[in-house]
Coordinates of all heavy atoms in Angstrom, one line a residue:
M24 N 250.9 -5.6 162.8 CA 250.4 -6.9 162.6 C 248.9 -7.0 163.1 O 248.1 -7.7 162.5 CB 251.2 -8.0 163.4 CG 250.7 -9.4 163.2 SD 252.0 -10.6 163.3 CE 251.9 -11.1 165.0
I25 N 248.6 -6.3 164.2 CA 247.3 -6.3 164.7 C 246.3 -5.6 163.7 O 245.2 -6.1 163.6 CB 247.2 -5.7 166.1 CG1 247.9 -6.6 167.1 CG2 245.8 -5.4 166.5 CD1 248.0 -6.1 168.5
C26 N 246.8 -4.6 163.1 CA 245.9 -3.9 162.1 C 245.6 -4.8 160.9 O 244.5 -4.8 160.4 CB 246.6 -2.6 161.6 SG 246.7 -1.3 162.9
T27 N 246.6 -5.6 160.5 CA 246.3 -6.5 159.4 C 245.3 -7.6 159.9 O 244.4 -8.0 159.1 CB 247.6 -7.2 159.0 OG1 248.6 -6.2 158.6 CG2 247.4 -8.1 157.8
L28 N 245.4 -8.0 161.1 CA 244.5 -9.0 161.6 C 243.1 -8.4 161.6 O 242.1 -9.1 161.2 CB 244.9 -9.4 163.0 CG 243.9 -10.3 163.8 CD1 243.9 -11.7 163.1 CD2 244.3 -10.5 165.2
I29 N 242.9 -7.2 162.1 CA 241.6 -6.5 162.1 C 241.1 -6.3 160.7 O 239.9 -6.6 160.4 CB 241.8 -5.1 162.8 CG1 242.0 -5.3 164.3 CG2 240.5 -4.3 162.6 CD1 242.4 -4.0 165.0
S30 N 241.9 -5.9 159.8 CA 241.5 -5.7 158.4 C 241.0 -7.0 157.8 O 240.0 -7.1 157.1 CB 242.7 -5.2 157.6 OG 242.3 -5.1 156.2
N31 N 241.8 -8.1 157.9 CA 241.4 -9.4 157.4 C 240.2 -10.0 158.1 O 239.4 -10.7 157.5 CB 242.6 -10.4 157.4 CG 243.7 -9.9 156.4 OD1 243.4 -9.2 155.4 ND2 244.9 -10.3 156.7
S32 N 240.1 -9.8 159.4 CA 238.9 -10.2 160.1 C 237.7 -9.5 159.6 O 236.6 -10.1 159.6 CB 239.1 -10.0 161.6 OG 240.2 -10.8 162.1
A33 N 237.8 -8.3 159.3 CA 236.7 -7.5 158.8 C 236.1 -8.1 157.5 O 234.9 -8.1 157.2 CB 237.1 -6.0 158.6
Y34 N 237.0 -8.6 156.7 CA 236.6 -9.2 155.4 C 235.8 -10.5 155.7 O 234.8 -10.7 155.1 CB 237.9 -9.6 154.6 CG 237.5 -10.4 153.3 CD1 237.0 -9.7 152.2 CD2 237.7 -11.7 153.3 CE1 236.6 -10.4 151.1 CE2 237.4 -12.5 152.1 CZ 236.9 -11.8 151.0 OH 236.6 -12.5 149.9
A35 N 236.3 -11.2 156.7 CA 235.6 -12.5 157.0 C 234.3 -12.3 157.9 O 233.4 -13.1 157.8 CB 236.5 -13.4 157.7
L36 N 234.3 -11.2 158.6 CA 233.2 -11.0 159.6 C 231.9 -10.8 158.9 O 230.9 -11.2 159.4 CB 233.5 -9.7 160.4 CG 232.6 -9.4 161.5 CD1 232.6 -10.4 162.6 CD2 232.9 -8.0 162.1
I37 N 231.9 -10.2 157.7 CA 230.7 -9.9 157.0 C 230.1 -11.1 156.3 O 229.0 -11.2 155.9 CB 230.8 -8.7 156.1 CG1 229.5 -8.0 155.8 CG2 231.6 -9.0 154.9 CD1 229.6 -6.7 155.3
A38 N 231.0 -12.1 156.0 CA 230.6 -13.3 155.2 C 229.4 -14.0 155.7 O 228.6 -14.4 154.8 CB 231.8 -14.2 155.1
P39 N 229.1 -14.3 157.0 CA 227.9 -15.0 157.3 C 226.7 -14.2 157.2 O 225.6 -14.7 157.1 CB 228.2 -15.4 158.8 CG 229.5 -15.0 159.1 CD 230.0 -14.1 158.1
F40 N 226.8 -12.9 157.3 CA 225.6 -12.0 157.4 C 225.1 -11.4 156.1 O 223.9 -11.3 155.9 CB 225.8 -10.9 158.5 CG 226.2 -11.4 159.8 CD1 227.5 -11.3 160.2 CD2 225.3 -12.1 160.6 CE1 227.9 -11.8 161.5 CE2 225.7 -12.6 161.8 CZ 227.0 -12.5 162.3
L41 N 226.1 -11.0 155.3 CA 225.7 -10.3 154.0 C 224.9 -11.2 153.1 O 223.8 -10.7 152.6 CB 227.0 -9.9 153.3 CG 226.8 -9.0 152.1 CD1 226.2 -7.7 152.5 CD2 228.1 -8.7 151.4
P42 N 225.2 -12.5 152.9 CA 224.3 -13.3 152.0 C 222.9 -13.4 152.5 O 221.9 -13.3 151.8 CB 225.0 -14.6 151.9 CG 226.4 -14.3 152.2 CD 226.4 -13.2 153.2
L43 N 222.7 -13.5 153.8 CA 221.4 -13.7 154.4 C 220.6 -12.4 154.2 O 219.4 -12.4 153.9 CB 221.5 -14.0 155.9 CG 222.1 -15.3 156.2 CD1 222.3 -15.5 157.8 CD2 221.3 -16.5 155.7
E44 N 221.3 -11.3 154.4 CA 220.6 -10.0 154.2 C 220.2 -9.7 152.8 O 219.1 -9.3 152.5 CB 221.5 -8.9 154.7 CG 220.8 -7.5 154.9 CD 219.7 -7.6 155.9 OE1 219.9 -8.1 157.0 OE2 218.6 -7.1 155.6
F45 N 221.1 -10.1 151.9 CA 220.7 -9.9 150.5 C 219.7 -10.9 149.9 O 218.9 -10.6 149.1 CB 222.0 -9.9 149.6 CG 222.8 -8.6 149.7 CD1 224.1 -8.6 149.3 CD2 222.3 -7.5 150.3 CE1 224.8 -7.4 149.3 CE2 223.0 -6.3 150.4 CZ 224.3 -6.3 149.9
K46 N 219.7 -12.1 150.5 CA 218.7 -13.1 150.1 C 217.3 -12.6 150.5 O 216.4 -12.8 149.8 CB 219.0 -14.5 150.7 CG 220.1 -15.2 150.0 CD 219.7 -15.7 148.7 CE 220.8 -16.6 148.1 NZ 220.5 -17.1 146.8
A47 N 217.3 -12.0 151.7 CA 216.0 -11.4 152.1 C 215.5 -10.3 151.2 O 214.3 -10.1 151.2 CB 216.2 -10.9 153.6
Q48 N 216.4 -9.7 150.5 CA 216.0 -8.6 149.6 C 215.9 -9.2 148.1 O 215.8 -8.4 147.2 CB 217.1 -7.5 149.6 CG 217.3 -6.9 150.9 CD 216.2 -5.9 151.2 OE1 215.4 -5.5 150.4 NE2 216.1 -5.5 152.5
N49 N 215.8 -10.5 148.0 CA 215.7 -11.2 146.7 C 216.8 -10.9 145.7 O 216.6 -10.7 144.5 CB 214.3 -10.9 146.1 CG 213.2 -11.4 146.9 OD1 213.3 -12.5 147.4 ND2 212.1 -10.7 147.0
I50 N 218.0 -10.8 146.2 CA 219.2 -10.6 145.4 C 219.8 -12.0 145.1 O 220.0 -12.8 146.0 CB 220.2 -9.7 146.1 CG1 219.5 -8.3 146.1 CG2 221.5 -9.6 145.3 CD1 220.3 -7.2 146.9
S51 N 220.2 -12.2 143.9 CA 220.7 -13.5 143.5 C 222.0 -13.9 144.1 O 222.8 -13.0 144.4 CB 220.8 -13.6 141.9 OG 221.8 -12.8 141.5
G52 N 222.3 -15.2 144.1 CA 223.6 -15.6 144.6 C 224.7 -15.2 143.8 O 225.8 -14.9 144.3
H53 N 224.5 -15.1 142.5 CA 225.5 -14.6 141.6 C 226.0 -13.1 141.9 O 227.2 -12.9 142.0 CB 225.0 -14.6 140.1 CG 225.9 -14.0 139.1 ND1 227.0 -14.7 138.7 CD2 225.8 -12.8 138.4 CE1 227.6 -13.9 137.8 NE2 226.9 -12.8 137.6
M54 N 225.0 -12.3 142.2 CA 225.3 -10.9 142.6 C 226.0 -10.9 144.0 O 226.9 -10.0 144.2 CB 224.1 -10.1 142.6 CG 223.5 -9.9 141.2 SD 224.6 -9.3 140.0 CE 224.6 -7.6 140.3
I55 N 225.7 -11.7 144.9 CA 226.3 -11.8 146.2 C 227.8 -12.2 146.0 O 228.7 -11.7 146.6 CB 225.6 -12.8 147.1 CG1 224.2 -12.2 147.4 CG2 226.3 -13.0 148.4 CD1 223.2 -13.2 148.1
G56 N 228.0 -13.2 145.1 CA 229.4 -13.6 144.8 C 230.2 -12.5 144.2 O 231.4 -12.3 144.6
L57 N 229.6 -11.7 143.3 CA 230.3 -10.6 142.8 C 230.6 -9.5 143.8 O 231.6 -8.8 143.8 CB 229.5 -9.9 141.6 CG 229.4 -10.7 140.4 CD1 228.5 -10.1 139.4 CD2 230.8 -10.9 139.8
M58 N 229.7 -9.4 144.8 CA 229.9 -8.5 145.9 C 231.1 -8.8 146.7 O 231.8 -7.9 147.1 CB 228.6 -8.5 146.8 CG 228.6 -7.5 147.9 SD 228.0 -5.9 147.3 CE 226.5 -6.2 146.6
F59 N 231.3 -10.1 146.9 CA 232.5 -10.5 147.6 C 233.8 -10.4 146.8 O 234.8 -10.1 147.3 CB 232.4 -12.0 148.1 CG 231.6 -12.1 149.4 CD1 230.2 -12.3 149.4 CD2 232.2 -11.9 150.6 CE1 229.5 -12.4 150.6 CE2 231.5 -11.9 151.8 CZ 230.1 -12.2 151.8
A60 N 233.6 -10.6 145.5 CA 234.8 -10.5 144.6 C 235.3 -9.1 144.4 O 236.5 -8.9 144.2 CB 234.5 -11.1 143.2
I61 N 234.4 -8.1 144.5 CA 234.8 -6.8 144.3 C 235.8 -6.3 145.3 O 236.6 -5.4 145.1 CB 233.6 -5.8 144.1 CG1 234.1 -4.5 143.5 CG2 233.0 -5.5 145.4 CD1 233.3 -4.0 142.4
Y62 N 235.8 -6.9 146.5 CA 236.7 -6.5 147.6 C 238.1 -6.8 147.1 O 239.0 -6.0 147.3 CB 236.3 -7.4 148.8 CG 237.2 -7.1 150.0 CD1 236.7 -6.2 151.0 CD2 238.4 -7.7 150.2 CE1 237.5 -6.0 152.2 CE2 239.2 -7.5 151.4 CZ 238.7 -6.6 152.3 OH 239.5 -6.4 153.4
S63 N 238.4 -8.0 146.6 CA 239.7 -8.4 146.1 C 240.1 -7.5 144.9 O 241.3 -7.2 144.8 CB 239.7 -9.8 145.8 OG 239.4 -10.6 146.9
V64 N 239.2 -7.2 144.1 CA 239.5 -6.3 142.9 C 240.0 -5.0 143.4 O 240.9 -4.4 142.9 CB 238.3 -6.2 142.0 CG1 238.5 -5.2 140.9 CG2 238.0 -7.6 141.3
A65 N 239.3 -4.5 144.4 CA 239.7 -3.1 145.0 C 241.1 -3.2 145.6 O 241.8 -2.2 145.5 CB 238.6 -2.7 146.0
V66 N 241.4 -4.3 146.3 CA 242.7 -4.4 146.9 C 243.8 -4.4 145.8 O 244.8 -3.6 145.9 CB 242.8 -5.7 147.7 CG1 244.3 -5.9 148.1 CG2 241.9 -5.6 148.9
I67 N 243.5 -5.1 144.7 CA 244.5 -5.1 143.6 C 244.6 -3.8 142.9 O 245.8 -3.3 142.6 CB 244.1 -6.2 142.6 CG1 244.3 -7.6 143.2 CG2 244.9 -6.1 141.3 CD1 243.6 -8.7 142.4
L68 N 243.5 -3.1 142.7 CA 243.6 -1.8 142.0 C 244.2 -0.7 142.8 O 244.8 0.2 142.3 CB 242.2 -1.4 141.5 CG 241.6 -2.3 140.4 CD1 240.1 -1.8 140.1 CD2 242.4 -2.2 139.2
S69 N 244.0 -0.7 144.1 CA 244.4 0.4 145.0 C 245.8 0.1 145.5 O 246.5 1.1 146.0 CB 243.5 0.6 146.1 OG 243.3 -0.5 146.9
S70 N 246.3 -1.1 145.5 CA 247.7 -1.3 146.1 C 248.8 -0.5 145.4 O 249.7 0.0 146.1 CB 248.0 -2.8 146.0 OG 247.2 -3.5 146.9
P71 N 248.8 -0.4 144.1 CA 249.9 0.5 143.5 C 249.8 1.9 144.0 O 250.9 2.6 144.3 CB 249.7 0.4 142.0 CG 248.9 -0.9 141.8 CD 248.1 -1.0 143.0
F72 N 248.6 2.5 144.1 CA 248.4 3.8 144.6 C 249.0 4.0 146.0 O 249.7 4.9 146.4 CB 247.0 4.2 144.5 CG 246.6 5.5 145.3 CD1 247.0 6.7 144.9 CD2 246.0 5.4 146.5 CE1 246.7 7.9 145.6 CE2 245.7 6.5 147.3 CZ 246.1 7.7 146.8
V73 N 248.6 3.0 146.9 CA 249.1 3.0 148.2 C 250.6 2.9 148.3 O 251.2 3.6 149.1 CB 248.4 1.8 149.0 CG1 249.0 1.7 150.4 CG2 246.9 2.1 149.1
G74 N 251.2 2.0 147.5 CA 252.6 1.9 147.5 C 253.4 3.2 147.2 O 254.4 3.5 147.8
K75 N 252.8 3.9 146.2 CA 253.5 5.2 145.9 C 253.2 6.3 146.9 O 254.1 7.1 147.1 CB 253.0 5.6 144.5 CG 253.5 4.8 143.4 CD 253.2 5.4 142.0 CE 253.7 4.5 141.0 NZ 254.7 5.2 140.1
S76 N 252.1 6.3 147.5 CA 251.7 7.4 148.4 C 252.2 7.2 149.8 O 252.2 8.2 150.6 CB 250.2 7.7 148.3 OG 249.5 6.6 148.6
V77 N 252.5 6.0 150.2 CA 252.9 5.8 151.6 C 254.2 6.5 152.0 O 254.3 7.0 153.1 CB 253.1 4.2 151.9 CG1 254.3 3.7 151.2 CG2 253.0 4.0 153.4
Q78 N 255.1 6.8 151.0 CA 256.3 7.5 151.3 C 256.0 9.0 151.6 O 256.8 9.7 152.3 CB 257.3 7.4 150.2 CG 256.8 7.9 148.9 CD 257.8 7.6 147.8 OE1 259.0 7.3 148.0 NE2 257.4 7.6 146.5
Y79 N 254.9 9.5 151.1 CA 254.5 10.9 151.3 C 253.7 11.1 152.6 O 253.8 12.1 153.3 CB 253.8 11.5 150.1 CG 254.6 11.4 148.9 CD1 254.2 10.5 147.8 CD2 255.7 12.2 148.7 CE1 255.0 10.5 146.7 CE2 256.5 12.1 147.5 CZ 256.1 11.2 146.5 OH 256.8 11.1 145.4
V80 N 252.8 10.1 152.8 CA 251.8 10.2 153.9 C 252.4 9.6 155.2 O 252.1 10.1 156.3 CB 250.5 9.5 153.5 CG1 249.5 9.6 154.6 CG2 249.9 10.2 152.2
G81 N 253.1 8.6 155.1 CA 253.7 7.9 156.2 C 252.8 6.6 156.5 O 251.6 6.6 156.3
T82 N 253.5 5.6 157.0 CA 252.8 4.3 157.3 C 251.8 4.4 158.4 O 250.7 3.9 158.2 CB 253.9 3.2 157.6 OG1 254.6 3.7 158.7 CG2 254.8 2.9 156.5
T83 N 252.1 5.1 159.4 CA 251.1 5.3 160.5 C 249.8 6.0 160.1 O 248.7 5.5 160.4 CB 251.7 6.0 161.7 OG1 252.9 5.3 162.1 CG2 250.8 6.1 162.9
N84 N 250.0 7.0 159.3 CA 248.8 7.8 158.8 C 248.0 6.9 157.8 O 246.8 6.9 157.8 CB 249.2 9.1 158.2 CG 249.7 10.1 159.2 OD1 249.4 10.0 160.3 ND2 250.6 11.0 158.7
M85 N 248.7 6.2 157.0 CA 248.1 5.3 156.0 C 247.3 4.2 156.7 O 246.1 3.9 156.3 CB 249.1 4.7 155.1 CG 248.6 4.2 153.8 SD 247.9 5.5 152.7 CE 249.2 5.8 151.7
I86 N 247.9 3.6 157.7 CA 247.2 2.5 158.4 C 245.9 3.1 159.1 O 244.9 2.5 159.1 CB 248.1 1.8 159.4 CG1 249.1 1.0 158.6 CG2 247.3 0.9 160.3 CD1 250.3 0.4 159.4
S87 N 246.1 4.2 159.8 CA 245.0 4.9 160.5 C 243.9 5.2 159.5 O 242.7 5.0 159.8 CB 245.5 6.1 161.2 OG 246.4 5.8 162.2
L88 N 244.2 5.8 158.4 CA 243.2 6.1 157.4 C 242.5 4.9 156.9 O 241.3 4.9 156.8 CB 243.9 6.9 156.2 CG 242.9 7.3 155.1 CD1 241.9 8.3 155.6 CD2 243.7 7.8 153.9
G89 N 243.2 3.8 156.6 CA 242.6 2.6 156.2 C 241.6 2.0 157.2 O 240.5 1.6 156.8
I90 N 242.0 1.9 158.4 CA 241.1 1.4 159.5 C 239.9 2.3 159.6 O 238.8 1.8 159.8 CB 241.9 1.3 160.8 CG1 243.0 0.2 160.7 CG2 241.0 0.9 161.9 CD1 242.5 -1.2 160.5
A91 N 240.1 3.6 159.6 CA 239.0 4.5 159.8 C 238.0 4.4 158.6 O 236.7 4.4 158.8 CB 239.5 6.0 159.9
V92 N 238.5 4.4 157.4 CA 237.6 4.3 156.2 C 236.8 2.9 156.2 O 235.6 2.9 155.9 CB 238.4 4.5 154.9 CG1 237.5 4.2 153.7 CG2 238.9 5.9 154.9
M93 N 237.6 1.9 156.6 CA 236.9 0.6 156.6 C 235.8 0.5 157.7 O 234.7 0.0 157.4 CB 237.9 -0.5 156.9 CG 237.3 -1.9 156.8 SD 238.5 -3.2 157.0 CE 239.3 -3.2 155.5
G94 N 236.1 1.1 158.8 CA 235.1 1.2 159.9 C 233.9 2.0 159.4 O 232.7 1.6 159.7
L95 N 234.1 3.1 158.8 CA 233.0 3.9 158.3 C 232.1 3.1 157.2 O 230.9 3.2 157.3 CB 233.5 5.2 157.6 CG 232.5 6.2 157.2 CD1 231.6 6.7 158.3 CD2 233.2 7.3 156.5
A96 N 232.8 2.3 156.4 CA 232.1 1.5 155.4 C 231.2 0.5 156.1 O 230.1 0.2 155.7 CB 233.0 0.9 154.4
F97 N 231.8 -0.1 157.2 CA 231.0 -1.1 157.9 C 229.8 -0.5 158.6 O 228.7 -1.1 158.6 CB 231.8 -1.8 159.0 CG 232.6 -3.0 158.5 CD1 233.9 -3.0 158.3 CD2 231.9 -4.2 158.1 CE1 234.6 -4.1 157.8 CE2 232.5 -5.3 157.6 CZ 233.9 -5.2 157.5
I98 N 229.9 0.7 159.1 CA 228.8 1.4 159.7 C 227.7 1.6 158.6 O 226.5 1.5 158.9 CB 229.2 2.7 160.4 CG1 230.1 2.3 161.6 CG2 228.0 3.6 160.7 CD1 230.8 3.5 162.2
C99 N 228.1 2.1 157.4 CA 227.2 2.3 156.4 C 226.5 1.1 155.9 O 225.3 1.1 155.5 CB 227.9 3.0 155.2 SG 228.5 4.7 155.5
F100 N 227.1 -0.1 156.0 CA 226.5 -1.3 155.7 C 225.3 -1.6 156.6 O 224.3 -2.2 156.2 CB 227.4 -2.5 155.8 CG 227.9 -3.1 154.5 CD1 229.2 -2.9 154.1 CD2 227.1 -3.8 153.7 CE1 229.7 -3.4 152.9 CE2 227.5 -4.3 152.5 CZ 228.8 -4.1 152.1
G101 N 225.3 -1.0 157.8 CA 224.1 -1.2 158.7 C 222.9 -0.5 158.2 O 221.8 -0.9 158.6
F102 N 223.0 0.4 157.2 CA 221.8 1.1 156.7 C 221.2 0.4 155.5 O 220.1 0.8 155.0 CB 222.2 2.6 156.4 CG 222.5 3.4 157.6 CD1 223.9 3.7 157.8 CD2 221.6 3.7 158.5 CE1 224.2 4.4 159.0 CE2 221.9 4.5 159.6 CZ 223.2 4.8 159.9
I103 N 221.9 -0.6 154.9 CA 221.4 -1.2 153.7 C 220.0 -1.9 154.0 O 219.1 -1.8 153.1 CB 222.4 -2.3 153.2 CG1 223.5 -1.5 152.5 CG2 221.8 -3.2 152.2 CD1 224.6 -2.3 151.9
P104 N 219.7 -2.5 155.1 CA 218.3 -3.1 155.3 C 217.2 -2.1 155.2 O 216.1 -2.4 154.9 CB 218.4 -3.7 156.6 CG 219.8 -4.0 156.9 CD 220.5 -2.9 156.2
S105 N 217.5 -0.8 155.4 CA 216.4 0.2 155.3 C 216.2 0.7 153.9 O 215.2 1.5 153.7 CB 216.8 1.4 156.2 OG 217.9 2.0 155.7
I106 N 216.9 0.2 152.9 CA 216.7 0.6 151.5 C 215.8 -0.4 150.9 O 215.9 -1.6 151.1 CB 218.1 0.6 150.8 CG1 219.0 1.6 151.4 CG2 217.9 1.0 149.3 CD1 220.5 1.5 150.9
D107 N 214.8 0.1 150.1 CA 213.8 -0.8 149.5 C 214.1 -1.2 148.1 O 213.8 -2.3 147.6 CB 212.4 -0.1 149.6 CG 211.9 0.0 151.0 OD1 212.2 -0.8 151.8 OD2 211.2 1.0 151.2
D108 N 214.8 -0.3 147.3 CA 215.0 -0.5 145.9 C 216.2 -1.5 145.7 O 217.3 -1.2 146.2 CB 215.3 0.8 145.2 CG 215.4 0.7 143.7 OD1 215.0 -0.4 143.2 OD2 215.9 1.6 143.1
K109 N 216.0 -2.5 145.0 CA 217.1 -3.6 144.8 C 218.3 -3.0 144.1 O 219.4 -3.3 144.4 CB 216.4 -4.7 144.0 CG 217.3 -5.9 143.8 CD 216.5 -7.0 143.2 CE 217.3 -8.1 142.6 NZ 216.6 -9.1 141.9
T110 N 218.1 -2.1 143.1 CA 219.2 -1.5 142.3 C 220.0 -0.7 143.2 O 221.3 -0.7 143.2 CB 218.6 -0.7 141.2 OG1 217.8 -1.5 140.4 CG2 219.8 -0.1 140.3
I111 N 219.4 0.1 144.1 CA 220.2 1.0 145.0 C 220.9 0.1 146.0 O 222.1 0.4 146.4 CB 219.2 2.0 145.7 CG1 218.6 2.9 144.7 CG2 220.0 2.7 146.8 CD1 217.6 3.9 145.2
I112 N 220.3 -1.0 146.5 CA 221.0 -1.9 147.4 C 222.2 -2.4 146.8 O 223.3 -2.4 147.4 CB 220.0 -3.0 147.9 CG1 218.9 -2.5 148.7 CG2 220.8 -4.1 148.6 CD1 217.8 -3.5 149.0
L113 N 222.1 -2.9 145.6 CA 223.3 -3.4 144.9 C 224.4 -2.4 144.6 O 225.6 -2.6 144.9 CB 222.9 -4.1 143.5 CG 222.2 -5.4 143.6 CD1 221.7 -5.8 142.3 CD2 223.1 -6.4 144.2
S114 N 223.9 -1.2 144.2 CA 224.9 -0.1 144.0 C 225.6 0.3 145.3 O 226.9 0.4 145.3 CB 224.2 1.1 143.4 OG 223.6 0.8 142.2
V115 N 224.9 0.5 146.3 CA 225.5 0.8 147.6 C 226.4 -0.3 148.1 O 227.5 -0.1 148.6 CB 224.4 1.2 148.6 CG1 225.0 1.4 150.0 CG2 223.7 2.5 148.2
G116 N 225.9 -1.5 148.0 CA 226.7 -2.7 148.4 C 228.0 -2.8 147.7 O 229.1 -3.0 148.3
F117 N 228.0 -2.7 146.4 CA 229.2 -2.8 145.6 C 230.2 -1.6 145.9 O 231.4 -1.8 146.0 CB 228.9 -2.8 144.1 CG 228.5 -4.1 143.5 CD1 227.3 -4.3 143.0 CD2 229.5 -5.2 143.5 CE1 226.9 -5.6 142.5 CE2 229.1 -6.4 143.0 CZ 227.8 -6.6 142.5
F118 N 229.6 -0.4 146.0 CA 230.4 0.7 146.4 C 231.1 0.5 147.7 O 232.3 0.7 147.9 CB 229.6 2.0 146.4 CG 230.4 3.2 146.8 CD1 231.3 3.8 146.0 CD2 230.1 3.7 148.1 CE1 232.0 4.9 146.4 CE2 230.8 4.9 148.5 CZ 231.8 5.4 147.7
L119 N 230.4 0.1 148.7 CA 230.9 -0.1 150.1 C 231.9 -1.2 150.1 O 233.0 -1.1 150.8 CB 229.8 -0.3 151.1 CG 228.9 0.9 151.4 CD1 227.8 0.5 152.3 CD2 229.7 2.0 152.0
R120 N 231.7 -2.3 149.4 CA 232.7 -3.4 149.4 C 233.9 -3.0 148.7 O 235.0 -3.3 149.1 CB 232.1 -4.6 148.7 CG 231.1 -5.4 149.5 CD 231.7 -5.9 150.8 NE 232.5 -7.1 150.6 CZ 233.1 -7.8 151.5 NH1 233.1 -7.3 152.8 NH2 233.8 -8.8 151.2
F121 N 233.8 -2.1 147.6 CA 235.0 -1.6 147.0 C 235.8 -0.7 147.9 O 237.0 -0.8 148.0 CB 234.6 -0.8 145.7 CG 235.8 -0.5 144.9 CD1 236.2 -1.4 143.9 CD2 236.4 0.7 145.0 CE1 237.3 -1.0 143.1 CE2 237.5 1.1 144.2 CZ 238.0 0.2 143.3
I122 N 235.1 0.1 148.6 CA 235.8 1.0 149.6 C 236.5 0.2 150.7 O 237.6 0.5 151.1 CB 234.7 2.0 150.3 CG1 234.2 2.9 149.2 CG2 235.3 2.7 151.4 CD1 235.3 3.8 148.6
Q123 N 235.8 -0.9 151.1 CA 236.4 -1.8 152.1 C 237.7 -2.4 151.6 O 238.7 -2.5 152.3 CB 235.5 -2.9 152.6 CG 234.4 -2.4 153.5 CD 233.3 -3.4 153.8 OE1 233.3 -4.5 153.1 NE2 232.5 -3.2 154.8
G124 N 237.7 -2.9 150.4 CA 238.8 -3.5 149.7 C 240.0 -2.5 149.6 O 241.1 -2.8 149.8
A125 N 239.6 -1.3 149.1 CA 240.6 -0.2 148.9 C 241.2 0.2 150.3 O 242.5 0.3 150.4 CB 240.0 1.0 148.2
S126 N 240.4 0.3 151.3 CA 241.0 0.6 152.6 C 241.8 -0.5 153.2 O 242.7 -0.3 154.0 CB 239.8 1.0 153.6 OG 239.0 0.0 153.8
S127 N 241.5 -1.7 152.8 CA 242.3 -2.9 153.3 C 243.7 -2.8 152.7 O 244.7 -3.2 153.3 CB 241.6 -4.2 152.9 OG 242.4 -5.3 153.3
A128 N 243.8 -2.3 151.5 CA 245.2 -2.1 150.9 C 246.0 -1.1 151.7 O 247.2 -1.1 151.7 CB 245.0 -1.7 149.4
F129 N 245.3 -0.1 152.3 CA 246.0 0.9 153.1 C 246.7 0.3 154.4 O 247.6 0.8 154.9 CB 245.1 2.0 153.5 CG 244.7 3.0 152.4 CD1 244.2 2.6 151.3 CD2 245.0 4.3 152.6 CE1 243.9 3.4 150.3 CE2 244.8 5.2 151.6 CZ 244.2 4.8 150.4
V130 N 246.1 -0.8 154.8 CA 246.6 -1.5 156.0 C 247.7 -2.4 155.6 O 248.7 -2.6 156.2 CB 245.4 -2.2 156.8 CG1 246.0 -3.0 158.0 CG2 244.3 -1.2 157.1

């Protein structure tokens, strides 16, 4: 239950900061909204995979992997302000949010 709390808190934790950071990079509100939506899309797409593979990997290993990958994605988000190209910022942002959503399904 604590892992689920951490995972869901991670989703909400980035909400106040990500739009401000992307607005500073002149990224539209529409793209920021899509950035948040891709998290849920990733959860939906990866949940069937997780459901099938949990019996082989084990629940403890699956939860540990999900938390570790999500943490790594959050660390990588810290490097986005150092990127200058808007297209790369969006690509990296979408990729990292997708990874966060997929790792949330593991938890």
Side-chain angles (χ1 to χ4, degrees):
M24 181 151 93
I25 291 178
C26 289
T27 305
L28 176 68
I29 292 170
S30 174
N31 291 335
S32 296
Y34 175 76
L36 183 67
I37 203 166
F40 304 108
L41 188 63
L43 296 175
E44 193 60 47
F45 283 167
K46 284 286 186 185
Q48 299 287 343
N49 294 323
I50 294 174
S51 70
H53 176 74
M54 294 307 278
I55 295 169
L57 289 174
M58 186 82 56
F59 278 95
I61 195 129
Y62 183 97
S63 300
V64 170
V66 171
I67 291 169
L68 292 177
S69 59
S70 290
F72 166 74
V73 171
K75 288 189 181 239
S76 57
V77 73
Q78 62 187 340
Y79 302 110
V80 178
T82 55
T83 304
N84 291 335
M85 197 66 94
I86 291 170
S87 298
L88 178 66
I90 295 292
V92 170
M93 186 176 285
L95 184 63
F97 272 110
I98 291 169
C99 291
F100 256 108
F102 295 106
I103 285 182
S105 64
I106 301 172
D107 293 328
D108 187 16
K109 186 173 161 180
T110 306
I111 296 174
I112 290 172
L113 285 172
S114 300
V115 170
F117 278 115
F118 176 74
L119 290 174
R120 285 299 280 176
F121 189 88
I122 295 298
Q123 287 174 345
S126 63
S127 179
F129 283 60
V130 176

